[in-house]
Amino acid sequence: MNYLMGRLAVTAVGTLKTANGQGKFILESASIGSVPIPKILLQEIVSYYSRTPEKPGGIGLDDPFALPSRIREIQVQRGQAIIVQ
C-alpha cells in the first residue's frame, strides 16, 4: 500500500443485480491503474473510504444495499440502463 501514492484510477468490473429495492454488486476483476489487484485489497480500500460512525468497518463489497430514490430495480443492458420505480 505504501507504493500507492497520489491520484490513481481504481477500476472494478462486475455485474449489478437488483430486485425489490435491493442491489448487489458481484465483482469480476479490479485494478489500480493497469495493475490487477485481488478482491481483498479492493475491499480494504472501499472499507477505509466508506467508514462512518454508524458503520466503523465501512461497506462490504459482498453486502447487499438499498437502492435510493424508491428505485425498485435497474435493468442493465449493453449501452443502457432502465430504472424501474
Side-chain angles (χ1 to χ4, degrees):
M1 290 296 284
N2 289 336
Y3 294 108
L4 304 177
M5 300 178 77
R7 294 184 100 164
L8 299 168
V10 177
T11 303
V13 177
T15 303
L16 176 64
K17 299 209 179 243
T18 62
N20 301 318
Q22 293 284 308
K24 183 166 174 82
F25 181 74
I26 301 159
L27 181 70
E28 294 173 16
S29 65
S31 61
I32 297 179
S34 62
V35 179
I37 61 169
K39 181 179 180 180
I40 193 162
L41 179 54
L42 179 63
Q43 179 61 69
E44 286 296 317
I45 294 167
V46 170
S47 293
Y48 180 81
Y49 285 104
S50 64
R51 290 182 183 142
T52 65
E54 298 79 29
K55 271 194 128 169
I59 296 170
L61 290 174
D62 295 322
D63 295 345
F65 53 91
L67 297 172
S69 305
R70 296 187 320 253
I71 295 173
R72 302 297 307 145
E73 178 182 355
I74 304 171
Q75 300 168 359
V76 180
Q77 300 170 6
R78 186 175 200 105
Q80 72 176 3
I82 299 170
I83 310 293
V84 179
Q85 287 187 304

